[in-house]
Structures are given as structure tokens and as C-alpha cells.
Amino acid sequence: MSNKKFYVTTPIYYVTARPHLGSLYSTLIADVAARWNKLQGKKTFFLTGTDEHGQKVAQAAEKAGKAPKEFVDSYIDVYKKIWKDYELDYNDFIRTTDPRHKKAVQEFIKKLEKKGDIYKGEYSGWYCVSDEAYLTETDYNTTVTYKEDEGPPCPVCGRATKLMKEQGYFFKLSAYQDKLLKFYKENPDFITPKERFNEITSFVKSGLRDLSISRTTTDWGIPFPGDEKHVCYVWLDALVNYISAVGYGDPKKKDDFNFWWPTDLHVMAKDIVRFHAVYWPAFLMAADLELPKRLLVHGWITLCGKKMSKSFANVVDPEVLYKKYGAEPVRYFLLRQIPVTQDGDFCLEDLDQRITCELANDLGNLLNRMLMLAQKNNILTIPVQEGWSGDAIKLRDEAFDTIGDVQGYMEDYLFHMALARMWKFIGNVNAYFHGHEPWKLAKKDSGVFIEVLSATCHSLHQIALLLWPIMPSKMEELLSALGVTFDYKKNVIENLKLSRWTEKFELKMIPPLFEKPEEASECKKKQVADKTGQCETETPSYIPIDTVAQVELRVGTIEQVEEIPKSDKLLQLAVDFGQCGKRTILAGVKKWYKPEDLIGKQAVFVFNLKPRKMLGIESQGMMLFAESDDGQLQLTQPAGKVPNGTRLR
Ligand code: MSP
């Protein structure tokens, strides 16, 4: 294993109730990110835990008639059990009531004090207990009208805030405004997605007020060092978990801390970005520590359009889903169904459909049919193939393209895209397998028969490795059916890319990988057996109009086309977009077009696609084609000539 590392965290959850599907979602994203990095041969550290102090928790404990510590203790095993059921393989579970954490928080505050960034003062403002935050001036100025006997509503949860006035300690956040803006400018990929990054930069540009970091309104917290009448503000306390867990403040753990810090990824939902993207970096700057490398901000899981939340009492219990479906179909569904940076409504009917069509039919049946056919013909060993015929080579090429594409999507945390790409490939494997009718070949031509089985095994082997971060146990079962022992200590993805399909497989029958849910209606997909094996769905997953609006499609004229000697697929285009400039765009159409067929033609391009390097050349967009039944790619053009740069709407 290399010395490269990947450190990922989840938010630490308020322990006021059992975990719900929303908390599971963040933890799952972090788990998948850690596992994906494991497949790249990195050492990984995945941290999760619980946020146990503050007024919100104290009030919930009081309501339950328990002392706060007894109250929070009662939930820890519940969290740990659910995380284990869902195979969330964290390295550490930190609790803010742990003595190691308390010590680290106090050390951290002392460091800020020494720096001269803390002073004593008085604060009054509108406070939301549920979100443990004061309204900012902007929140207050943009707030709707409110009843006189209540405070203005919190912009995050909508609950009435309370007027609070406290003597306390302040952190000089205002002194960090310019440093933060400079940091954002130098690190434009700090926050994914871009909209959140833009929101944060404009929030900071609008001005920062110093932050009250101690409380006297509750005594349920870490005593403020040097003035124990105060406790630390719960958000300062909570954020420090990301360093206390890896050894901050413990002289014996200095090396561990230096190895793991800074974190490579903080995962969270959009409600708590400000704390992570503004306050946390400012605290870290003050403490002379490096800043996190990236924040991944996911959307909310909603139920009937409303955020799923303990306090709205509209939560789905992950344990109930686990008992009914098992962990891995739910893991798959959450990542396949909801584009990670958008909100997504949870619906059982969609879950049933995806398990039936995608897991049981597309993937499970493919494995099962192949194994049954081999068994029926007394084949246990699939030998190394001496050579491959045309269709198998095509499938192998598609397999390698899939790895590259999936890798690109996973590195951007676009899990739904990575899974869609894998399922496109699974569709191709199904089309290849069925198209060759191997049940007939078994008697007619045993050489081709074995080749079809071998190509299918190689494809399934690859699918299992790419899918392992999402469905680890199921994919290890799949690999065991092929006689492959899974070992993530090798650089699995790199080895996959280097493999030339030279494996031998020892087959073993296993029970069906996925069970179809009883209530599921038959798969609503009409399996249109087109050449690429892709399914047209009668019930597509709809996307909101604003998602469509995010894609910038523009017309450009192809001015020059060059062949790329090292590639048998790509052509390098120089495209003129008029007032929007000129761009280099790579298109995988060498098979269908000669340079002279394209030069001078207008075509449609995705203009705001993230630039991507291929064979050392940066492609700054994507050309759109329509794929006809015979696999031929047809140019898409406006019906008449339009000015270059014209946007499609
Ligand atoms: N304790 C703070 C976080 C401190 S981190 C230093 C907190 N806790 S929380 O229990 O309210 O959980 C917040 C996180 O749980 C969200 O940021 C998100 O990651 C996850 N989710 C809670 N409800 C969710 C949904 N309905 N949908 C998706 N994620 C949700 O804030």
C-alpha cells in the first residue's frame, strides 16, 4: 500500500434521537469515498461521531426526564449498531463528551487566545436553539414578517428564534474576512458544488461580525478555559472533533496528527456549510493549522418535498429499511437515485423498482444465467483465453472506457453518474451474452462458448471491483462466485486499467445476489434490446427544470480537426464559439468521421462541462451526437445557420 492518504469526515450528529435516513446518507457518502480511495491503494481514515453538548441536546434530555450524559449515552449503541448494519466502516467514532476531545478543545481555545484572537464582550441577538446559531444581519434583514410575541424565524429550520443577551467571549472573525476571500480565490475547488462556493464567497464579502464562542445560557458543555462560568459554544466544540480525533492536543499523537491532517474531505448537507466553510477555516487559520482540502455539500433527503428531520417528525428509520431490504440495496439506491448535490425525495416505489430492474434483473440475473449455463455444461474452470474475437474485443474496449469514465465521476463524487455509466456497461454485457445465445453454442462450438463465458466473467469481475465501494459484501460474494479473492491492499483500480483480460476463473454457484421485493410490480422498464443493450425506461427519473438550466449548450463551428496519433478514437477539434471564444474539444468519433467531414460544420456542444485532460490534452467541452441503431454517431446541428456561440434553450 502506498503512503498516500485520504482522510474523510461526516458531520457529528446531534444525539437527540435515533439516526434517520438523512444522517445515514452523509455517513454513506463518506464511507463510499473512503472505500473508493482504498481501491486506489491509499491509506484511509474515516471519522464519524456525535455532537453531544449544547442547549438543543440539554433541552431534549430535560424533556426525556434524563440527565444530559445519561440521555446521550442511551443513543450511542443505537448509532453504532445501525452504522454496522449498513457496513459503514469508520475508523473512529468520536463523542464530544470524550475526555480526549475536551482536552483538545481547551488546548485549541488557549491557542486562539495566545494569538490575540479572543476578547470578552457582550452580545445580543436572535438565537435559534435548534440550529445553535444567532441570526446574522443578512438573515435578519431578509427575514419575513413575524408575530410580535415570537422572534423572527430561523432561515434554516423556520422555527421562531429567541432574543438572547450574553456576556461572553468573542472570536475576531472579522479579522479573517480578507484572508478567507484570498483562500477561496486560490482554492476555487474548495467547495463542491460551485453554487455553494458562490454563496459562501458572497456571504463573506458582505462582511463578517465577530463570533460569540462561549455560553452561559446552558452549563452542558466544555468549560471555557480560564473562566469556567462559561461553556464553549457548541459549534466551536463540535468542529474541533475533526482534529481531536486524529490526535490534536495529545503530544503522544503528534506523528498521527501530522500524517492525517489536513482532512481531504468534509462531507455535510447544505444547512451547515457556513460553519464549515467560514468559521472552521478562520479558526484553523488562527491556530496556524492547515485548512481542509475540500468540502462536499450534498442536498437534503426530503419526504413529500420537506426536509427529513428529527424535529419535523417525518423521518424514515434506516433500521426498518434494513430489515426489509438489507443494507446494500439501500446503499445503492440512495446513491443511484439522488444526484449528490441536489435534494431528492425518498419514495419506496422507486426503491422497489431499482432493486427489481437494476440489481436483480440487470446484474443478479446476468451472473446467475452465466453460472447456471456453465454448471449445466460441467464447466468449473474458465481458462485464460489465447485470443479474442471481434465482439469480445469491442466489449473489452467498452470495459476499459467504463473504468476511465467511472474514475472521473468518482473523483468528482458524482456517484449517480458513475453508477449510470456502470449500468450502461452492464447493459452491454447483457446484450453481448444474450446476443451470442451461448446455450446454443455449448453444443455447436465449445471454443466460442468458452470465449463468451470468459468475456462475461471478465466483465463481471470488473463490475464487482468498481461497485465494491457501494455494495462491498455483495460484490465480494460476486467475486467469490468467479473464484477471485478480493484484496484492496493492491492498487485495484490501477491494476484493472492494466489488465488485458488474461484471467482464469474458477466458478462456484452462489444463491441469487439480490431478492426482488415482494411488492415490486414487474420491472416497468421496457427492455428495448437495441445494439448497445441500453434500456429505455417508460418511467424515467425526472430532473427538475433548474438542473436542465445548469447545462449550457452552445453552437460552434469546427474550424480545424487534428488526429491524435496515440488514440484510435479521439479527434482534436478547434471550435469557434464567436463572442464566447475559441476552444479545444476532444471528440471520440475517429471511427465515424474523417477530419474533412467535420471541418466547417456547425454543431452543438456542452459548453460548461468541467475541462478534462485526455492523453495530455485538455478538452474544454463536449460535442453532442445522436447514436443510431447501428451504433453510428450522427452530428447534431441547428436546422439553419446561427451565429457561433448561440445558446440552446
Ligand atoms: N451537530 C451538527 C453538526 C456538527 S459537525 C461539526 C449538526 N448535526 S445534525 O444532527 O443536525 O446533522 C447534520 C447533518 O446530518 C447534515 O449536515 C447532513 O449531513 C445530515 N442530515 C440531516 N438531515 C438530513 C436530510 N434530511 N438529508 C440529508 N442529510 C441530512 O448539524
Side-chain angles (χ1 to χ4, degrees), residues 107 192 268 287 378 451 519:
E107 287 291 318
T192 299
M268 78 213 63
N378 293 323
E451 183 187 49
E519 295 84 345

Side-chain angles (χ1 to χ4, degrees), residues 356-585:
T356 307
C357 306
E358 295 164 7
L359 296 183
N361 285 2
D362 296 345
L363 180 56
N365 277 354
L366 173 66
L367 173 72
N368 226 33
R369 284 192 191 136
M370 190 275 295
L371 290 175
M372 279 183 11
L373 196 61
Q375 193 191 41
K376 206 171 142 206
N377 290 282
N378 293 323
I379 292 171
L380 291 177
T381 303
I382 309 280
V384 176
Q385 289 295 291
E386 297 287 321
W388 297 97
S389 59
D391 280 355
I393 291 176
K394 248 175 145 178
L395 188 67
R396 191 180 64 180
D397 287 350
E398 163 67 2
F400 291 128
D401 286 351
T402 307
I403 303 171
D405 291 345
V406 168
Q407 193 171 22
Y409 292 133
M410 291 298 282
E411 256 134 52
D412 283 338
Y413 307 108
L414 296 169
F415 306 110
H416 66 296
M417 300 284 282
L419 286 167
R421 182 64 185 92
M422 288 187 227
W423 252 258
K424 181 176 178 229
F425 176 56
I426 293 173
N428 287 340
V429 186
N430 269 305
Y432 167 83
F433 184 78
H434 294 289
H436 281 83
E437 302 186 317
W439 48 94
K440 290 187 187 160
L441 282 174
K443 308 234 158 28
K444 253 186 356 207
D445 185 339
S446 67
V448 184
F449 176 60
I450 297 288
E451 183 187 49
V452 172
L453 293 187
S454 179
T456 308
C457 285
H458 278 96
S459 305
L460 283 166
H461 179 202
Q462 173 181 317
I463 291 163
L465 294 177
L466 291 176
L467 269 178
W468 179 81
I470 287 132
M471 295 188 282
S473 319
K474 294 281 181 199
M475 293 306 109
E476 284 171 32
E477 267 176 59
L478 196 166
L479 290 169
S480 77
L482 304 177
V484 176
T485 317
F486 177 69
D487 177 8
Y488 67 76
K489 292 204 175 75
K490 301 182 203 150
N491 187 332
V492 175
I493 299 298
E494 209 44 46
N495 286 341
L496 251 189
K497 280 167 75 184
L498 295 174
S499 140
R500 301 290 6 123
W501 275 27
T502 49
E503 305 286 328
K504 172 177 158 194
F505 296 97
E506 301 287 347
L507 302 186
K508 184 181 92 187
M509 267 320 272
I510 57 165
L513 274 183
F514 301 101
E515 274 174 43
K516 294 186 187 176
E518 277 164 26
E519 295 84 345
S521 50
E522 253 326 284
C523 184
K524 281 188 197 155
K525 278 179 179 178
K526 130 175 102 121
Q527 303 273 344
V528 186
D530 69 356
K531 254 249 161 135
T532 58
Q534 273 175 274
C535 282
E536 299 277 332
T537 30
E538 278 170 1
T539 49
S541 13
Y542 294 108
I543 53 168
I545 185 79
D546 51 336
T547 308
V548 179
Q550 281 173 25
V551 184
E552 198 176 325
L553 297 175
R554 290 190 187 273
V555 176
T557 296
I558 304 165
E559 291 193 317
Q560 274 178 39
V561 181
E562 279 175 48
E563 302 213 353
I564 301 172
K566 277 179 277 173
S567 169
D568 50 6
K569 290 198 184 126
L570 295 174
L571 289 177
Q572 180 178 342
L573 318 180
V575 187
D576 181 8
F577 290 97
Q579 293 198 337
C580 304
K582 298 198 183 206
R583 288 201 179 176
T584 300
I585 290 176

Side-chain angles (χ1 to χ4, degrees), residues 142-405:
T142 50
T143 203
V144 286
T145 46
Y146 55 94
K147 292 184 202 149
E148 244 176 43
D149 53 342
E150 285 182 354
C154 164
V156 177
C157 67
R159 284 186 197 78
T161 52
K162 276 192 196 140
L163 190 62
M164 288 225 303
K165 194 170 178 173
E166 324 183 69
Q167 274 269 332
Y169 292 89
F170 285 80
F171 171 68
K172 287 186 188 162
L173 183 64
S174 55
Y176 286 87
Q177 179 170 351
D178 292 342
K179 291 181 192 130
L180 284 168
L181 290 172
K182 182 169 175 280
F183 171 74
Y184 302 144
K185 199 164 173 203
E186 288 166 0
N187 297 277
D189 291 330
F190 177 53
I191 307 173
T192 299
K194 207 74 205 157
E195 302 99 88
R196 304 284 162 226
F197 182 82
N198 296 340
E199 273 167 28
I200 287 297
T201 26
S202 35
F203 170 72
V204 174
K205 273 184 193 152
S206 71
L208 292 176
R209 276 177 66 174
D210 291 347
L211 186 72
S212 151
I213 53 161
S214 68
R215 295 287 182 272
T216 47
T217 39
T218 179
D219 58 4
W220 180 232
I222 297 179
F224 201 85
D227 191 347
E228 308 224 331
K229 285 198 296 302
H230 298 251
V231 292
C232 304
Y233 171 40
V234 66
W235 266 103
L236 169 57
D237 168 352
L239 288 162
V240 170
N241 92 87
Y242 300 134
I243 52 175
S244 63
V246 285
Y248 180 83
D250 182 347
K252 285 193 257 83
K253 296 213 167 138
K254 234 182 169 141
D255 289 345
D256 282 350
F257 182 71
N258 289 338
F259 181 75
W260 291 113
W261 191 255
T263 183
D264 295 86
L265 188 69
H266 284 316
V267 175
M268 78 213 63
K270 57 188 182 181
D271 45 345
I272 56 173
V273 192
R274 191 183 291 176
F275 301 95
H276 286 81
V278 182
Y279 305 162
W280 183 224
F283 293 151
L284 289 168
M285 282 177 185
D288 298 322
L289 291 174
E290 277 185 71
L291 304 201
K293 293 201 184 132
R294 198 159 173 188
L295 313 185
L296 172 63
V297 184
H298 63 75
W300 283 335
I301 298 187
T302 56
L303 207 63
C304 306
K306 193 166 179 189
K307 181 187 175 210
M308 193 179 287
S309 155
K310 289 165 261 196
S311 20
F312 296 142
N314 66 344
V315 297
V316 171
D317 187 337
E319 197 173 356
V320 174
L321 290 182
Y322 171 74
K323 286 193 177 136
K324 185 159 175 212
Y325 298 98
E328 299 203 355
V330 178
R331 287 173 64 112
Y332 168 77
F333 173 73
L334 289 174
L335 297 178
R336 176 72 182 89
Q337 178 78 8
I338 307 169
V340 74
T341 56
Q342 294 170 24
D343 292 350
D345 220 38
F346 179 79
C347 163
L348 281 178
E349 205 192 325
D350 292 338
L351 174 61
D352 288 342
Q353 273 289 305
R354 288 207 185 266
I355 297 177
T356 307
C357 306
E358 295 164 7
L359 296 183
N361 285 2
D362 296 345
L363 180 56
N365 277 354
L366 173 66
L367 173 72
N368 226 33
R369 284 192 191 136
M370 190 275 295
L371 290 175
M372 279 183 11
L373 196 61
Q375 193 191 41
K376 206 171 142 206
N377 290 282
N378 293 323
I379 292 171
L380 291 177
T381 303
I382 309 280
V384 176
Q385 289 295 291
E386 297 287 321
W388 297 97
S389 59
D391 280 355
I393 291 176
K394 248 175 145 178
L395 188 67
R396 191 180 64 180
D397 287 350
E398 163 67 2
F400 291 128
D401 286 351
T402 307
I403 303 171
D405 291 345

Side-chain angles (χ1 to χ4, degrees), residues 583-597:
R583 288 201 179 176
T584 300
I585 290 176
L586 301 184
V589 292
K590 198 166 176 179
K591 241 199 233 162
W592 295 279
Y593 290 94
K594 295 200 189 74
E596 55 272 27
D597 301 334

